[in-house]
Amino acid sequence: MFRDITPAPPDAILGLTEAWKNDPNPSKINLGAGVFKDAKGRTPILESVKDAEAHILSTASTKSYMPIAGAPEYRRLVQEMILGADHPILAANRAQTAHTPGGTAALRVGADFLKKFASNAAVWVSSPTWANHKGVFQAAGFAVKEYPYYDPVSKGLALDKMLAALDSVPAGDIVLLHACCHNPTGVDLTAGQWAEVATLAARRGWMPFLDFAYQGYGDGLQEDRAGLLALASACPELLVASSFSKNFGLYQDRTGALTLIAADAAQAAAAFSHVEIAVRVNYSNPPAHGGLIVSTILSDPARRAKWEGELTAMREHIARTRRTFVDALAHHGVPGDFEFIARQKGMFSFSGLTDPQVRYLREKKSIYIVGGGRINVAGITPGNLEYLCCSIREALEASSG
Ligand code: LMR
């Protein structure tokens, strides 16, 4: 069976990290995978996480199985984090949450669940979107279609085209939306634009599925809820995939959640029983450690305050790095107006670099950038800034000459 199998291409994002690791060039820079890095290029464990881990180590008493949907406390804390503790949906028991191994598993479990009840639906993703989105929904058996999102001329949102496309999505189809810090563009909707999308969703009857992988990386934990709150007030049903890779720095602990919101408590409970089946046949029940860290932090006011401080520091570091990068590009004579980079939200900048320029930077300069031109801004440090800007100038000159 295996004799005639040809190798699959490397992963568009995680494959870059592997290639970067194997690159002997001492000047190499990894601006690929979305991983927070400090000014020294390190991805440290958060202090609040270390403290929670020490607490868990000294108090844990079992490694027995988790419930299929995860620990009740974690599930409740996730709901409070994404919606706000006093949201009426929680009081009405309209939300049900499963602890999943990262945001990717949340998307996949959600997709498997939806496939069971909407087998002929299409899933609509933004153009562009995270490189893995299409793969996850196609693996679950869905046809994936695109709606316009990014306008390369204004380097902002293609609002009119987006709304026109979403206005033609058939009832019952599924529309994947990035709750904040759109990946890869860093271009987000304003509160008013979210309200327009929510009105459309309710009128057309398509199902919103929010990818909420960067809560706290945009404008703040509460501010970043704006899209979810708008959709939750307009639509009776939606799904939310949360990831705690970035905001808790739990990348390798694979910690996330799928939250299902239904019209009432009974419908939520019935639908969620099928989410649990999707979990059981995929990975049975979630790995405990990351969820315990999140619960330990969110349930204790002092730990929580410390974590929120660390999250704010990461967000502000990236915002400062954006400014420094824009100024340095001008300082090093890179032609063009890069002010848009300072306006984008979250970890990424959609740099405007073309695929040939991305290839040039990788092959000639050992600078690793995701195809399409997405740069992980957190990968820019004082130590690599000058080399990066001069290399970008060179790449632009090479492609124009
Ligand atoms: C990214 O977009 O770089 C991250 O979400 C990492 C990943 O899994 O692709």
Side-chain angles (χ1 to χ4, degrees):
M1 190 192 294
F2 299 160
R3 203 182 46 200
D4 298 325
I5 297 178
T6 52
D11 184 79
I13 296 176
L14 300 183
L16 286 183
T17 303
E18 292 312 305
W20 172 83
K21 278 186 195 155
N22 295 328
D23 189 330
N25 184 345
S27 304
K28 63 184 176 178
I29 310 176
N30 183 6
L31 302 177
V35 175
F36 178 82
K37 293 178 200 164
D38 64 15
K40 296 207 170 81
R42 298 169 309 198
T43 305
I45 302 173
L46 300 187
E47 286 300 322
S48 53
V49 167
K50 277 194 181 163
D51 169 69
E53 287 186 307
H55 177 76
I56 292 162
L57 197 61
S58 66
T59 54
S61 59
T62 182
K63 292 283 185 193
S64 183
Y65 291 119
M66 297 278 279
I68 291 173
E73 185 185 36
Y74 175 84
R75 299 169 57 198
R76 176 179 58 79
L77 289 165
V78 170
Q79 292 176 1
E80 292 178 1
M81 179 171 160
I82 63 173
L83 284 160
D86 52 3
H87 198 286
I89 284 180
L90 302 189
N93 286 323
R94 287 180 50 211
Q96 291 276 357
T97 296
H99 172 185
T100 59
T104 305
L107 291 166
R108 180 58 197 265
V109 167
D112 286 346
F113 160 74
L114 290 168
K115 188 68 191 164
K116 197 162 173 179
F117 299 101
S119 58
N120 294 321
V123 173
W124 295 74
V125 300
S126 62
S127 172
T129 194
W130 179 47
N132 208 22
H133 273 151
K134 282 187 189 168
V136 167
F137 285 96
Q138 282 167 345
F142 280 108
V144 176
K145 298 182 177 174
E146 291 188 331
Y147 60 87
Y149 188 85
Y150 180 74
D151 174 9
V153 178
S154 69
K155 304 215 162 36
L157 189 68
L159 181 67
D160 292 345
K161 286 186 182 153
M162 175 185 178
L163 292 177
L166 294 183
D167 202 10
S168 67
V169 170
D173 272 9
I174 297 133
V175 176
L176 188 75
L177 295 149
H178 302 227
C180 68
C181 307
H182 184 269
N183 179 1
T185 67
V187 172
D188 281 350
L189 278 67
T190 63
Q193 291 163 346
W194 274 119
E196 286 187 73
V197 170
T199 307
L200 248 178
R203 182 158 54 77
R204 297 293 311 182
W206 44 256
M207 162 88 71
F209 193 157
L210 270 99
D211 188 340
F212 206 177
Y214 292 87
Q215 187 175 3
Y217 266 76
D219 293 317
L221 282 169
Q222 288 188 33
E223 293 83 345
D224 292 349
R225 284 182 196 137
L228 170 56
L229 296 185
L231 286 158
S233 76
C235 307
E237 299 178 349
L238 62 123
L239 293 178
V240 185
S242 302
S243 165
F244 302 126
S245 294
K246 332 282 171 172
N247 46 18
F248 284 83
L250 293 176
Y251 310 92
Q252 62 178 232
D253 287 325
R254 310 306 303 136
T255 312
L258 174 71
T259 298
L260 170 155
I261 296 174
D264 61 36
Q267 289 180 31
F272 191 68
S273 65
H274 294 275
V275 169
E276 289 181 292
I277 290 174
V279 169
R280 179 69 169 139
V281 299
N282 263 304
Y283 53 86
S284 190
N285 54 85
H289 188 65
L292 284 170
I293 295 170
V294 169
S295 300
T296 304
I297 292 173
L298 292 182
S299 62
D300 178 279
R303 289 196 177 99
R304 187 187 184 113
K306 184 164 188 174
W307 164 69
E308 287 192 17
E310 291 184 285
L311 176 57
T312 302
M314 291 192 284
R315 179 175 67 246
E316 290 177 350
H317 173 78
I318 295 178
R320 273 195 309 276
T321 306
R322 286 185 183 280
R323 188 68 258 157
T324 313
F325 182 39
V326 174
D327 293 347
L329 285 166
H331 176 77
H332 290 287
V334 182
D337 176 5
F338 292 97
E339 209 42 50
F340 65 90
I341 292 176
R343 285 195 300 270
Q344 295 164 336
K345 292 283 164 64
M347 211 173 249
F348 304 117
S349 167
F350 210 45
S351 62
L353 291 167
T354 62
D355 282 343
Q357 291 160 352
V358 166
R359 233 179 352 262
Y360 180 96
L361 287 167
R362 175 174 172 170
E363 284 163 11
K364 301 265 195 287
K365 299 291 173 185
S366 300
I367 297 174
Y368 291 77
I369 294 172
V370 178
R374 188 195 83 172
I375 283 177
N376 174 13
V377 177
I380 303 172
T381 66
N384 64 28
L385 184 63
E386 184 176 349
Y387 177 69
L388 174 64
C389 293
C390 294
S391 301
I392 291 176
R393 191 184 61 217
E394 212 181 292
L396 296 187
E397 283 165 3
S399 61
S400 69

